Amino acid sequence: MKENEIKALVDEAFLARERAYVPYSHFRVGAALLTKQGRVYHGCNIENASYTPTNCAERTAVFKAVYEGEREFAAIAIVSDSKNPTAPCGVCRQVLAEFCEADMPVICANRDGEYEIMTLSALIPMVFTKKDMEE
Ligand code: THU
């Protein structure tokens, strides 16, 4: 990806972060998922009084996109309120691995828009997928 494309996707993640529903942690996360066709799906974290049902920003974005019929993704950018780059949690890595290719770039940005890029496979090596269910 070109630098301007990366920065544009990080900007979309900042917009998504505005929608965060975080009455418990007060920690906002936004994700912007880019399809191979060039559409962007936003996601935010949505918390719950029972804590466990909380949905991360990344999964909100993936589930919105998949519901709309999308199956092919080119990149995801994630941003939070932290000074550190926001890496997806383990559950979100697994969900991304269901739909995204191993070499897909995951752009982990901090609150100032500085970012690090990892491939999905670097974030979740030897991931369990449907190939592992073959007999
Ligand atoms: N969170 C995300 O939205 N994405 C991540 O990858 C890490 C954690 C959210 C969940 C919860 O609302 C808050 O951040 C604190 O864990």
Side-chain angles (χ1 to χ4, degrees):
M1 282 176 88
K2 296 186 192 124
E3 197 182 344
N4 63 318
E5 294 169 333
I6 295 165
K7 287 189 168 157
L9 199 59
V10 170
D11 284 345
E12 295 281 352
F14 274 111
L15 290 175
R17 192 185 66 172
E18 294 297 310
R19 299 286 178 97
Y21 174 75
V22 289
Y24 308 103
S25 74
H26 305 288
F27 183 72
R28 300 174 304 160
V29 185
L33 180 64
L34 178 67
T35 70
K36 289 188 179 174
Q37 302 283 353
R39 275 199 71 173
V40 176
Y41 287 85
H42 288 178
C44 64
N45 51 338
I46 302 170
E47 297 187 342
N48 189 279
S50 183
Y51 291 20
T52 309
T54 290
N55 207 59
C56 291
E58 299 90 323
R59 275 177 287 143
T60 303
V62 170
F63 295 152
K64 281 175 63 190
V66 170
Y67 174 77
E68 296 295 338
E70 303 286 358
R71 289 289 189 280
E72 298 202 319
F73 302 105
I76 188 168
I78 308 149
V79 69
S80 72
D81 288 322
S82 176
K83 65 181 186 338
N84 300 314
T86 309
C89 82
V91 173
C92 290
R93 292 175 199 205
Q94 181 70 35
V95 169
L96 287 166
E98 183 69 28
F99 297 104
C100 308
E101 286 153 18
D103 63 352
M104 190 188 82
V106 178
I107 303 157
C108 306
N110 72 4
R111 65 188 176 207
D112 301 317
E114 298 158 346
Y115 57 83
E116 287 179 24
I117 305 182
M118 308 276 291
T119 62
L120 183 57
S121 61
L123 288 168
I124 186 163
M126 209 176 160
V127 61
F128 181 86
T129 62
K130 55 179 173 282
K131 73 183 179 320
D132 298 297
M133 297 178 72
E134 289 167 9
E135 288 179 24

